[in-house]
Coordinates of all heavy atoms in Angstrom, one line a residue:
Q35 N -44.4 139.7 -108.2 CA -43.9 140.6 -109.2 C -44.7 141.9 -109.3 O -44.1 143.0 -109.4 CB -43.8 139.8 -110.6 CG -42.8 138.8 -110.7 CD -41.4 139.3 -110.8 OE1 -41.1 140.4 -111.5 NE2 -40.4 138.7 -110.3
I36 N -46.0 141.7 -109.4 CA -46.9 142.9 -109.5 C -46.7 143.7 -108.3 O -46.6 145.0 -108.4 CB -48.3 142.5 -109.7 CG1 -48.5 141.8 -111.1 CG2 -49.3 143.7 -109.6 CD1 -49.9 141.2 -111.3
K37 N -46.8 143.2 -107.1 CA -46.7 143.9 -105.9 C -45.4 144.7 -105.7 O -45.4 145.8 -105.2 CB -46.8 143.0 -104.7 CG -46.8 143.7 -103.3 CD -47.0 142.7 -102.2 CE -46.9 143.4 -100.8 NZ -47.1 142.4 -99.7
N38 N -44.4 144.1 -106.3 CA -43.0 144.8 -106.1 C -42.6 145.5 -107.4 O -41.3 145.9 -107.5 CB -42.0 143.7 -105.7 CG -42.2 143.2 -104.2 OD1 -41.8 143.8 -103.2 ND2 -42.9 142.1 -104.2
S39 N -43.5 145.7 -108.3 CA -43.0 146.4 -109.6 C -42.9 147.9 -109.2 O -43.5 148.4 -108.2 CB -44.2 146.3 -110.6 OG -44.1 144.9 -111.1
I40 N -42.0 148.5 -110.0 CA -41.7 149.9 -109.7 C -42.5 150.8 -110.6 O -42.5 150.6 -111.8 CB -40.2 150.1 -109.9 CG1 -39.4 149.4 -108.9 CG2 -39.8 151.6 -110.0 CD1 -37.9 149.3 -109.2
Y41 N -43.3 151.7 -110.0 CA -44.2 152.5 -110.7 C -43.9 154.0 -110.7 O -44.6 154.8 -111.3 CB -45.6 152.4 -110.0 CG -46.2 151.1 -110.0 CD1 -46.0 150.2 -109.0 CD2 -46.9 150.6 -111.1 CE1 -46.6 148.9 -109.0 CE2 -47.4 149.3 -111.1 CZ -47.2 148.4 -110.1 OH -47.8 147.2 -110.2
D42 N -42.7 154.4 -110.1 CA -42.4 155.8 -110.1 C -40.9 156.0 -110.0 O -40.1 155.0 -109.7 CB -43.1 156.6 -109.1 CG -42.8 156.1 -107.6 OD1 -41.6 155.9 -107.2 OD2 -43.8 155.8 -106.9
Q43 N -40.4 157.2 -110.3 CA -39.1 157.5 -110.3 C -38.5 157.3 -109.0 O -37.3 156.7 -108.8 CB -38.8 158.9 -110.7 CG -37.5 159.4 -110.7 CD -37.4 160.9 -111.1 OE1 -38.2 161.4 -111.8 NE2 -36.4 161.6 -110.6
K44 N -39.1 157.7 -107.9 CA -38.5 157.7 -106.6 C -38.3 156.2 -106.1 O -37.1 155.9 -105.6 CB -39.5 158.3 -105.6 CG -38.9 158.3 -104.1 CD -40.0 159.0 -103.2 CE -39.6 159.0 -101.8 NZ -40.6 159.6 -100.8
T45 N -39.2 155.3 -106.4 CA -39.0 153.8 -106.1 C -37.9 153.3 -106.8 O -37.1 152.5 -106.2 CB -40.3 153.1 -106.3 OG1 -41.5 153.9 -105.6 CG2 -40.3 151.7 -105.8
L46 N -37.8 153.6 -108.1 CA -36.8 153.1 -108.9 C -35.4 153.5 -108.4 O -34.5 152.7 -108.2 CB -36.9 153.5 -110.3 CG -35.8 153.1 -111.3 CD1 -35.6 151.6 -111.4 CD2 -36.0 153.7 -112.7
L47 N -35.2 154.7 -108.0 CA -33.9 155.2 -107.6 C -33.5 154.7 -106.2 O -32.4 154.4 -106.0 CB -33.9 156.7 -107.5 CG -34.2 157.4 -108.9 CD1 -34.2 159.0 -108.8 CD2 -33.1 157.0 -110.0
Q48 N -34.5 154.3 -105.5 CA -34.3 153.7 -104.2 C -33.7 152.2 -104.4 O -32.9 151.8 -103.6 CB -35.6 153.7 -103.3 CG -35.9 155.0 -102.7 CD -37.3 155.0 -102.0 OE1 -38.1 154.0 -102.2 NE2 -37.6 156.0 -101.2
A49 N -34.4 151.6 -105.4 CA -34.0 150.3 -105.6 C -32.5 150.1 -106.1 O -31.8 149.1 -105.8 CB -35.0 149.6 -106.6
I50 N -32.0 151.1 -106.8 CA -30.7 150.9 -107.5 C -29.7 151.9 -106.9 O -28.5 151.9 -107.3 CB -30.9 151.3 -109.0 CG1 -31.2 152.8 -109.3 CG2 -31.8 150.4 -109.7 CD1 -31.1 153.2 -110.6
N51 N -30.1 152.5 -105.7 CA -29.2 153.5 -105.0 C -27.8 152.8 -104.7 O -26.9 153.6 -104.8 CB -29.9 154.0 -103.9 CG -29.1 155.2 -103.2 OD1 -28.8 156.2 -103.9 ND2 -28.7 155.1 -102.0

Side-chain angles (χ1 to χ4, degrees):
Q35 287 285 325
I36 293 172
K37 181 180 178 180
N38 291 277
S39 288
I40 290 168
Y41 297 93
D42 56 54
Q43 173 185 337
K44 180 180 178 181
T45 308
L46 174 61
L47 298 179
Q48 287 175 343
I50 65 175
N51 186 60

